[in-house]
């Protein structure tokens, strides 16, 4: 019995050893197969990595690709077709982030340049006293100073004082003012302001802004024209030319006349305001037109961020100049002597061409 049990144990041990020996090669084969699979996968991953990098690089390149830059027109160092103008200095193109100090310097330099180009600049309305100036300025709305200057001689010959115009027959005044356009509304304004002068100010034009703007037809623009040119008190005249140019020059982005007045006034000493208004308005009427600015004949082209909006060819630009800069008569029938001395010509009377 003992021998039989021992024999069984020996047989069982022998079978277990055989099974382990048989299983070992199988495990080794499986392990080798896994290793081979891993080795095959590794080159594939390595091959995929450059492909991903290349795709990523393409995407990055497409994102970073900048649009083609627009062609920038650069102002010449010297503007052609200039009439008695000071030589332009180095080109100055203000950056978008122009500092306040740089803006002030550029604005004042433009005014100095224009003062040399238009040393004879003056109000382009004919007048002999404050009453004539305030009436002429009211009439100049929606028409040219030339047409007003051609109309007021008849008006003031018949109604020389506020008392005379205040007592006038509206229909007779309308007939005189018909060439100015909007003659009914303007008749009402000039008769109304004449009555106000007689009743509230003793027939005299007041010399204060707060009083002037109370008169019929008189706003801040008209008031500053009167204050600056009849009383010698500084003021900025924000007309259509002034508004257009200060925005072109990027002095301000405002569109409201009162805000433009405040923004531009802050760039200059108060003593410069009246002459500044004349310089800007004269430049707008003669060179820097609304639709076709004569960039090629502009004396301040190197300082202008809007250079290139108009004609840049000097010869073509020269043909766009107006009034004395283009060899034509001015707007006043009786201009100052300084204007005549500079080659300016008086305007013809009404009906003379």
């Amino acid at each position: 019995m003992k021998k039989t049990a021992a024999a069984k144990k020996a047989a069982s041990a022998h079978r277990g050893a055989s099974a382990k020996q048989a299983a070992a090669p199988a495990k080794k084969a499986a392990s080798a197969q896994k290793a081979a699979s891993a080795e095959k996968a590794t080159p594939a991953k390595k091959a995929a990595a450059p492909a991903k990098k290349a795709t990523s690089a393409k995407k990055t390149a497409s994102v970073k690709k900048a649009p083609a830059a627009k062609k920038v027109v650069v102002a010449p160092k010297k503007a052609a077709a200039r009439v008695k103008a000071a030589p332009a200095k180095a080109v100055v193109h203000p950056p978008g982030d122009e500092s306040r100090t740089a803006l002030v310097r550029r604005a004042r330099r433009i005014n100095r340049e224009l003062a040399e180009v238009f040393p004879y600049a003056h109000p382009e309305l004919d007048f002999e006293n404050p009453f004539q100036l305030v009436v002429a300025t009211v009439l100049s709305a929606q028409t040219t100073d030339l047409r007003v200057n051609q109309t007021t001689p008849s008006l003031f010959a018949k109604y020389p004082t506020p008392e005379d115009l205040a007592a006038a027959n509206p229909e007779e005044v309308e007939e005189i003012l018909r060439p100015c356009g909007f003659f009914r509304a303007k008749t009402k304004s000039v008769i109304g302001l004449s009555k106000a002068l007689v009743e509230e100010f003793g027939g005299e034009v007041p010399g204060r802004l707060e009083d002037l703007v109370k008169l019929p037809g008189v706003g801040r623009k008209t008031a500053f024209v009167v204050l600056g040119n009849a009383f010698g008190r500084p003021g900025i005249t924000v007309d259509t030319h002034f508004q257009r140019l200060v925005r072109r020059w990027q002095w301000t982005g405002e569109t409201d006349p009162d805000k433009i007045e405040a923004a531009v006034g802050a760039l200059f000493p108060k003593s410069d305001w009246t002459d500044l208004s004349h310089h800007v308005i004269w430049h707008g009427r003669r060179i820097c037109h609304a639709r076709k600015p004569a960039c090629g004949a502009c004396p301040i082209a190197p300082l202008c961020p809007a250079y290139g909006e108009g004609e840049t060819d000097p010869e073509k630009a020269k043909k766009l100049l107006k009034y004395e800069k283009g060899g034509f008569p001015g707007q006043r029938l009786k201009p100052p002597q300084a204007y005549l001395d500079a080659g300016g010509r008086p305007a013809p009377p009404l009906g003379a061409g």
Side-chain angles (χ1 to χ4, degrees):
M1 291 295 291
K2 291 181 181 180
K3 287 183 181 180
T4 304
K8 286 181 179 180
K9 287 182 181 179
S12 177
H14 180 72
R15 284 196 299 270
S18 300
K20 287 181 181 179
Q21 288 178 357
K27 286 183 180 179
K28 287 182 181 179
S31 176
Q33 189 172 4
K34 287 181 181 179
S37 299
E39 286 180 3
K40 287 181 181 179
T42 300
K45 288 182 181 178
K46 288 182 180 179
K52 286 184 180 179
K53 287 183 181 179
T55 304
S56 177
K58 285 182 182 179
K59 288 182 179 179
T60 304
S62 63
V63 171
K64 290 185 178 179
K65 187 176 181 182
K70 294 182 178 179
K71 186 177 180 181
V72 178
V73 182
V74 180
K77 290 187 177 181
K78 290 186 179 181
R82 185 182 307 177
V83 182
K84 295 184 180 180
K89 278 75 176 180
V91 176
V92 179
H93 285 296
D97 58 347
E98 183 178 38
S99 70
R100 177 72 179 179
T101 300
L103 171 60
V104 170
R105 288 175 178 170
R106 182 170 61 86
R108 294 184 182 184
R109 183 175 166 189
I110 286 176
N111 188 39
R112 291 195 301 271
E113 295 276 348
L114 293 180
E116 295 183 15
V117 178
F118 306 109
Y120 43 78
H122 57 270
E124 294 193 273
L125 290 169
D126 284 324
F127 70 97
E128 296 177 358
N129 54 55
F131 171 63
Q132 290 186 2
L133 181 57
V134 69
V135 169
T137 308
V138 169
L139 296 178
S140 68
Q142 305 298 319
T143 191
T144 63
D145 288 355
L146 171 61
R147 187 45 57 97
V148 174
N149 292 335
Q150 292 173 329
T151 303
T152 51
S154 298
L155 180 69
F156 295 137
K158 191 169 185 177
Y159 310 105
T161 67
E163 290 82 1
D164 295 324
L165 192 52
N169 182 334
E171 292 181 357
E172 294 179 2
V173 177
E174 286 178 1
E175 194 59 33
I176 295 174
L177 300 184
R178 187 179 292 272
C180 289
F182 302 97
F183 57 91
R184 291 189 179 89
K186 291 180 180 180
T187 294
K188 184 177 180 180
S189 292
V190 297
I191 290 179
L193 75 83
S194 297
K195 288 181 179 179
L197 291 176
V198 172
E199 295 170 1
E200 299 177 28
F201 301 101
E204 299 292 332
V205 176
R208 300 194 311 165
L209 175 65
E210 53 268 35
D211 292 330
L212 284 169
V213 294
K214 294 177 183 178
L215 299 174
V218 177
R220 289 180 68 87
K221 183 189 81 169
T222 298
F224 280 130
V225 170
V226 175
L227 290 173
N229 297 287
F231 293 98
R233 296 175 183 172
I236 294 178
T237 304
V238 185
D239 72 348
T240 55
H241 301 288
F242 193 95
Q243 292 184 49
R244 180 177 73 254
L245 267 62
V246 298
R247 285 198 294 269
R248 271 185 181 167
W249 295 336
Q250 295 181 12
W251 288 3
T252 179
E254 299 290 352
T255 56
D256 178 74
D258 291 349
K259 292 181 179 180
I260 291 174
E261 176 196 322
V264 175
L267 301 176
F268 295 88
K270 193 172 182 178
S271 57
D272 289 352
W273 287 358
T274 300
D275 286 339
L276 168 69
S277 300
H278 292 325
H279 297 155
V280 175
I281 292 171
W282 276 56
H283 188 62
R285 286 175 172 172
R286 286 152 176 77
I287 299 174
C288 195
H289 314 304
R291 294 185 179 180
K292 292 183 178 180
C295 294
C298 180
I300 59 166
L303 299 169
C304 180
Y307 176 82
E309 286 186 7
E311 181 57 64
T312 57
D313 180 84
E315 291 304 316
K316 292 180 180 179
K318 186 177 180 180
K319 296 178 181 179
L320 300 174
L321 302 179
K322 295 183 178 180
Y323 302 114
E324 76 284 352
K325 293 302 183 187
F328 305 106
Q331 298 204 76
R332 290 188 66 166
L333 278 66
K334 298 178 180 179
Q337 189 60 44
Y339 179 73
L340 298 175
D341 292 342
R345 293 156 55 192
L350 188 64

